[in-house]
Amino acid sequence: MPSVLALPAFQDNYIWLLAGADGAAVVVDPGDAAPVLAAAANGLRPVAVLLTHHHADHVGGVDALLAEFPVPCFGPDDPRIPAAARRVGDGDHVPVPELGLGFDVMAVPGHTRSHLAFHGAGHLFCGDTLFSLGCGRLFEGTPAQMLASLDRLAALPGDTVVCCTHEYTAANGRFAREAEPDNPARDARLAEVQARRARGEPSLPTTLASERACNPFLRVDEPGVRATLAARLGHAPRDRTEAFAALRAWKDDFAG
């Protein structure tokens, strides 16, 4: 079974590596080549690159990385993705023969219109669509699109290892406590996060089961979230899309 490693980059990004016992590794969202090249100097060997979306903190290191390791690179069919990437889309399958595994490609628009997620070997690389205890901002998509994308990710098996690309968990947790005040599972997750961060460890990865139990953006149908939104809006949300839109708009302005 491959092991997963989070390489810190910039202020709060993670570049993910899924590596086999021999050091062969899939690299996900290398916004900066330097951490990956440093890992390669210590024995890891990039064999493929996966790109979830076009933002610079996810693709900025691609050209420098491929100059050192000219391996297959896969990303969305979007002109803003580096030219070296092979374009893939929803329903495609990306094989990684060096690791004996592959990834199913899922279209998850919302944060950007062409955002992809990659699911394989029990791992989900979801870019900026799903965060632990949160979700991405809607820079290009609609609330309905993002809700559908999150619903799709939430339907994956509960033991799926969720590899988000930013260390936002503690901040997201402060909002989650406001959105759903009574959630013991969420409080336990935040205690775990606090302990991990105190040890200098990432709060990630998480699991889909944990996110379904704790993340308010995956819980827009739960009575506790709906009650909070009703109090905030002055009326009960008319449907789950309105509930999600209100939750995301609230988070955009949240200063807790």
Side-chain angles (χ1 to χ4, degrees):
M1 183 70 177
S3 58
V4 70
L5 175 66
L7 300 181
F10 308 120
Q11 181 176 350
D12 52 33
N13 280 68
Y14 290 123
I15 300 165
W16 288 98
L17 300 180
L18 189 66
D22 66 350
V26 176
V27 182
V28 185
D29 283 353
D32 183 2
V36 184
L37 295 176
N42 288 322
L44 284 164
R45 177 171 52 90
V47 296
V49 176
L50 307 179
L51 307 175
T52 63
H53 65 294
H54 73 275
H55 287 160
D57 60 328
H58 293 255
V59 303
V62 169
D63 291 343
L65 179 59
L66 295 184
E68 293 292 326
F69 294 93
V71 302
C73 177
F74 304 90
D77 186 4
D78 187 315
R80 299 169 294 182
I81 290 290
R86 304 179 190 182
R87 273 42 180 170
V88 292
D90 191 57
D92 287 340
H93 185 76
V94 174
V96 185
E98 296 87 349
L99 290 174
L101 53 83
F103 296 91
D104 293 323
V105 182
M106 305 172 69
V108 285
H111 181 66
T112 68
R113 64 175 180 266
S114 61
H115 203 300
L116 299 178
F118 296 88
H119 176 237
H123 291 73
L124 173 66
F125 297 100
C126 51
D128 288 356
T129 297
L130 175 64
F131 296 130
S132 186
L133 304 181
C135 74
R137 285 180 178 265
L138 307 185
F139 288 124
E140 297 179 0
T142 66
Q145 285 178 314
M146 182 63 109
L147 179 58
S149 294
L150 293 173
D151 284 345
R152 192 173 184 194
L153 297 181
L156 294 171
D159 61 355
T160 300
V161 177
V162 180
C163 301
C164 319
T165 48
H166 287 278
E167 184 55 72
Y168 290 165
T169 315
N172 286 341
R174 290 191 287 275
F175 175 75
R177 280 182 164 144
E178 296 292 323
E180 189 181 21
D182 184 16
N183 186 327
R186 186 265 332 285
D187 293 341
R189 168 68 173 140
L190 284 174
E192 174 199 29
V193 168
Q194 183 177 26
R196 282 198 199 182
R197 299 301 289 155
R199 296 192 297 267
E201 299 172 0
S203 67
L204 303 164
T206 180
T207 67
L208 208 47
S210 175
E211 292 307 304
R212 289 197 297 248
C214 304
N215 187 330
F217 292 98
L218 301 187
R219 297 173 59 80
V220 296
D221 300 318
E222 293 298 318
V225 176
R226 287 295 183 98
T228 303
L229 289 173
R232 181 174 175 82
L233 294 170
H235 63 83
R238 287 179 284 272
D239 55 36
R240 60 198 310 271
T241 300
E242 184 182 24
F244 175 81
L247 195 65
R248 183 62 256 182
W250 180 15
K251 178 65 166 64
D252 289 346
D253 296 329
F254 185 73

